[in-house]
Amino acid sequence: MSSERPINPRFDEDVHFNLVSPGPPRYRTHSDKPVRYFTVVDKQGGAVLGYVWGAVEDDAAAWEPRQAAGPRALSEGGFWHARLTEAKGRGVPPSQALAEMLAAPEGRKGRAVPESLTDAPDADAVKALAAQD
């Protein structure tokens, strides 16, 4: 008796891999270097929805929703994230992207507060700020 097993026909064909596009260019979403950030507030009540930050030295920028603002902050984040993605697609550094957003501060449900632009030691500091009640 032979110890060889018959070949399963579905494994007898060549393997094909489909290349998937990585999508649009994006900034990194974390930085341990100094960042600048500004506050986004709700147009209706003025509550803080979140923060947009950009790294001074890294090619990193992101929207950080304020946890206490709940779903409204997550919803508004799509708008600011899209603006960051568009800026990265144009090859704009994060500091310039923040300046452009502050020049046109209106979002869907929120608006940027230009006078809130400030520094933080890193992205984790902005995340910690967003996690506070």
Side-chain angles (χ1 to χ4, degrees):
M1 213 176 207
S2 172
S3 65
E4 290 185 37
R5 296 176 138 193
I7 296 175
N8 186 330
R10 52 182 194 157
F11 296 123
D12 194 25
E13 298 176 11
D14 290 337
V15 175
H16 297 278
F17 293 97
N18 293 326
L19 294 176
V20 178
S21 170
R26 295 178 187 210
Y27 296 114
R28 292 178 45 223
T29 57
H30 187 268
S31 177
D32 58 359
K33 303 227 182 334
V35 301
R36 300 206 22 100
Y37 71 94
F38 61 82
T39 304
V40 175
V41 297
D42 193 322
K43 288 180 185 179
Q44 291 178 353
V48 175
L49 294 175
Y51 308 93
V52 178
W53 63 265
V56 176
E57 298 174 34
D58 285 343
D59 190 35
W63 161 259
E64 193 61 48
R66 185 165 174 252
Q67 289 180 359
R72 195 162 179 91
L74 293 175
S75 173
E76 181 66 9
F79 174 80
W80 297 99
H81 177 75
R83 288 185 71 182
L84 287 170
T85 301
E86 188 272 331
K88 176 63 176 172
R90 291 185 289 119
V92 171
S95 58
Q96 185 179 338
L98 264 60
E100 289 177 1
M101 288 183 209
L102 289 172
E106 294 299 315
R108 280 190 221 128
K109 299 175 184 175
R111 64 176 180 78
V113 181
E115 57 273 8
S116 69
L117 184 65
T118 191
D119 300 317
D122 55 31
D124 287 339
V126 180
K127 285 184 182 208
L129 180 63
Q132 294 175 356
D133 286 334

